[in-house]
Amino acid sequence: MKKHGNLCAKAKYEATVPSYYYIPQSCDCLVLREQWIRAKYEREEFVATRVCQDPCSAGTREGFLWKRGRESRQFQKRRFLLSAGEGVMKYYTKESRGPKAIISIKNLNAMFQTAKIQHAHGLQITYDTDGQTRNLFVYHESGKEIVDWFNAIRAARYHYLRTTFPTVPEPELIPRITRNYVKEGYMEKTGPKQKESFKVRWFCLDSQERNLMYFKNPLDAFAQGQVFIGTMDEGYEVRAGLPQGVQVKKRKPAITVVTPVREFVFICENDREQKEWIDALNGVIAQSLRG
């Protein structure tokens, strides 16, 4: 570093980083940051002498991951198969049977969720099935293996996007390879009449799909429901406080999400959470429908 400086080191050790490869930020989980450093300096995966892997071949992977059971809620070893060429990801419960699920890469997403899964290598995989978002929670004891799976999924997604939308500029495609939720956490919600008792639910805001999903438990396979978040021009708005005429016993900060169909009322734990949810929801409302 003293002799060549940071720019020279970057030019050498990041010479062939693929477009689909996720370069972690300081806010990302430890396993992503550690494996990025090891990949660069220890394994020298991106030096100029290495050939940049084709995303189709890089998006093909087979191996075992520990997956949380939908009913048992226990993690069990499952075989996963990813094929960018076929455009699918599969997983198997038993070797003698066919795949438990065949997941289209078109609807596939992955994000690290180490705190929620309570494992340093915890990965959440989501996909669409019959109009619902299905959650898979997996991990691997090897940090390298789970990060390799994550980037293989990104390679498969990049191959799909590049093939499906060949005229879209790459800077527009990269953010759509995989995404994190813009906000997650507990809130309390009431029913459509706004007179039902408030129940604690785990909420996830997906800015790309413009959905606010809520779950009974953070690690549930399916959401109990979801609220589509459109644009202001379509009649969507988020307000601090309760709708006129609605009263609650709890003296906690509230949020009202106005849609063309009805108003949704949520209660937050504190003022900070209220502000973060309002800012996150307003961010989605301000997006164009294409964004």
Side-chain angles (χ1 to χ4, degrees), residues 210-227:
R210 309 186 73 104
N211 280 332
L212 177 64
M213 299 172 285
Y214 54 92
F215 303 80
K216 190 174 181 180
N217 298 297
L219 297 182
D220 284 348
F222 290 98
Q224 287 191 319
Q226 61 186 33
V227 181

Side-chain angles (χ1 to χ4, degrees), residues 116 124 133 135 181 184 186 200-204 213-225:
K116 188 159 75 172
Q124 179 175 347
T133 298
N135 296 320
Y181 293 136
E184 287 188 89
Y186 286 109
V200 177
R201 295 291 181 259
W202 179 266
F203 287 81
C204 303
M213 299 172 285
Y214 54 92
F215 303 80
K216 190 174 181 180
N217 298 297
L219 297 182
D220 284 348
F222 290 98
Q224 287 191 319

Side-chain angles (χ1 to χ4, degrees), residues 103-208:
I103 304 162
S104 171
I105 287 173
K106 175 183 177 181
N107 303 312
L108 187 63
N109 186 42
M111 67 190 91
F112 275 91
Q113 292 277 23
T114 58
K116 188 159 75 172
I117 298 175
Q118 296 185 344
H119 193 285
H121 305 159
L123 188 70
Q124 179 175 347
I125 296 170
T126 68
Y127 62 95
D128 182 79
T129 174
D130 297 326
Q132 287 185 292
T133 298
R134 171 73 160 98
N135 296 320
L136 301 179
F137 301 99
V138 302
Y139 72 83
H140 196 284
E141 291 298 345
S142 163
K144 179 181 182 302
E145 188 72 13
I146 198 67
V147 172
D148 284 349
W149 267 104
F150 177 62
N151 280 304
I153 290 171
R154 285 181 59 86
R157 281 279 301 158
Y158 178 79
H159 174 74
Y160 162 77
L161 291 169
R162 188 79 283 170
T163 305
T164 308
F165 308 104
T167 61
V168 175
E170 189 158 283
E172 292 184 29
L173 288 184
I174 299 301
R176 292 184 169 271
I177 297 178
T178 57
R179 64 194 183 277
N180 295 330
Y181 293 136
V182 293
K183 173 71 177 167
E184 287 188 89
Y186 286 109
M187 289 193 290
E188 297 178 49
K189 72 173 294 290
T190 185
K193 295 180 180 179
Q194 299 175 353
K195 294 180 179 179
E196 298 88 345
S197 60
F198 280 81
K199 296 180 179 179
V200 177
R201 295 291 181 259
W202 179 266
F203 287 81
C204 303
L205 181 59
D206 185 339
S207 62
Q208 185 168 301

Side-chain angles (χ1 to χ4, degrees), residues 15 33 53-54 57 79 107 147 198 215 235 248-249 261 276:
R33 290 181 282 127
Q53 221 177 345
D54 173 71
S57 60
R79 185 166 70 93
N107 303 312
V147 172
F198 280 81
F215 303 80
V248 296
K249 295 179 181 178
V261 179
E276 288 181 4

